[in-house]
Amino acid sequence: MSDKLEMFLSEKETIVSEELIRTITELAIPKRLKDSMLYSISAGGKRLRPLLMIASCESYHGTHQQVLSVALALEMVHTYSLIHDDLPAMDDDDIRRGKPTNHRVFDEATAILAGDALLTYSFELISNDSQLTDEQKVYILKRLAEASGPKGMVAGQTLDMGAEDRAIQFDELETIHHLKTGQLLIFAIEIGAYIGGASSYQLEAIKDFAYFVGLVFQVQDDILDVTGDPNTIGKPIGSDETNLKSTYPKLLGLNGRD
């Protein structure tokens, strides 16, 4: 990694993390709910989605300030999805980012409500952004709802659970991960470019590029669940196999198709 890229990632990750914590800390809400939200928001992570959004915006001569509120909202949506994914009714995980999962520290009901709060507050955060025009807000909110809702991430999670412990085809696996993981990554890159001033033609090209970024990310994530270091990735390896998940290594092998 070049020094310039490393400096960019470190600087923007610090900005995003500090603003996330500040934004939630300032909310006048019940203490236990706030503590649960902050627990998962401050647990670390790569902040990949907001960093991609900021990078995309800056590549079209925008600034991180222009896109920051939307980037925070996106990370809140992502964090809500992790809290809910870890629940006993879903993946039943005990460790996330090297720490006990939210429902293990608090309780299932509080974890569910913390996830709900992060999801719904993300839309409020965007709607209150004074740097966005009304037209931009409508488009961004529409795209976030599409990417995270029943046509996007939630659909992918549903299909993912339905694919447990059964053989599926490659195109079905690609659809699952395009929806479950790829949609929020596409949103990040597309909306960063949109706020930065990209043209309609450029946005279409960006979405095509982002589609493959999402697939590459999921392939790598699946591989790390087999070969990764638990201390580095922040969770036990082999959880996909334990949960009978359909993954790229399971379908294709670590070296690809035979």
Side-chain angles (χ1 to χ4, degrees):
M1 183 186 299
S2 70
D3 290 343
K4 187 174 181 180
L5 177 57
E6 190 171 353
M7 185 181 301
F8 170 86
L9 294 174
S10 177
E11 177 189 343
K12 303 308 186 199
E13 181 183 342
T14 298
I15 291 171
V16 168
S17 295
E18 289 179 351
E19 281 299 304
L20 279 166
I21 293 170
R22 183 193 63 79
T23 299
I24 295 174
T25 299
E26 291 179 353
L27 290 175
I29 59 176
K31 184 178 184 303
R32 185 169 178 81
L33 176 62
K34 182 187 292 189
D35 288 346
S36 182
M37 294 166 68
L38 283 170
Y39 178 79
S40 291
I41 275 290
S42 62
K46 296 177 287 293
R47 309 297 190 201
L48 174 66
R49 290 151 190 82
L51 290 179
L52 282 172
M53 183 177 286
I54 292 170
S56 181
C57 183
E58 291 189 354
S59 70
Y60 287 93
H61 309 294
T63 66
H64 78 263
Q65 291 92 340
Q66 286 177 272
V67 79
L68 186 57
S69 289
V70 185
L72 301 183
L74 177 57
E75 187 68 4
M76 289 179 189
V77 172
H78 174 57
T79 303
Y80 122 77
S81 75
L82 300 182
I83 294 172
H84 283 195
D85 279 357
D86 290 337
L87 291 166
M90 302 282 274
D91 291 344
D92 196 16
D93 282 326
D94 295 328
I95 300 294
R96 168 72 66 179
R97 294 171 173 169
K99 298 182 177 181
T101 46
N102 195 297
H103 66 279
R104 296 299 182 195
V105 175
F106 297 89
D107 54 63
E108 289 182 41
T110 302
I112 291 169
L113 291 171
D116 293 344
L118 288 167
L119 172 62
T120 51
Y121 186 63
S122 69
F123 288 86
E124 180 181 345
L125 193 60
I126 294 170
S127 66
N128 286 334
D129 188 345
S130 61
Q131 297 203 62
L132 299 173
T133 67
D134 290 344
E135 181 180 351
Q136 287 177 320
K137 289 177 184 179
V138 170
Y139 181 74
I140 293 166
L141 290 168
K142 174 179 177 291
R143 287 292 296 116
L144 182 56
E146 290 172 343
S148 61
K151 295 189 291 183
M153 182 179 65
V154 173
Q157 181 66 27
T158 302
L159 294 173
D160 188 40
M161 292 189 300
E164 291 176 1
D165 199 23
R166 71 178 179 88
I168 65 172
Q169 299 300 311
F170 180 81
D171 58 348
E172 187 177 355
L173 181 62
E174 186 171 325
T175 297
I176 289 171
H177 291 309
H178 166 60
L179 295 170
K180 181 181 176 182
T181 303
Q183 283 290 331
L184 287 188
L185 289 170
I186 292 171
F187 174 84
I189 297 172
E190 174 199 350
I191 296 303
Y194 171 73
I195 294 174
S199 67
S200 297
Y201 174 79
Q202 289 170 325
L203 287 174
E204 288 305 311
I206 278 285
K207 284 189 278 189
D208 288 342
F209 162 75
Y211 174 86
F212 292 104
V213 170
L215 290 181
V216 168
F217 175 83
Q218 188 60 54
V219 170
Q220 182 64 32
D221 192 60
D222 286 354
I223 290 172
L224 287 174
D225 191 70
V226 178
T227 66
D229 179 355
N231 294 321
T232 301
I233 64 177
K235 60 182 179 179
I237 63 171
S239 60
D240 288 337
E241 184 66 27
T242 301
N243 292 324
L244 306 175
K245 294 286 186 181
S246 296
T247 66
Y248 286 101
K250 186 175 183 179
L251 188 62
L252 303 177
L254 287 174
N255 296 317
R257 292 185 186 273
D258 294 331

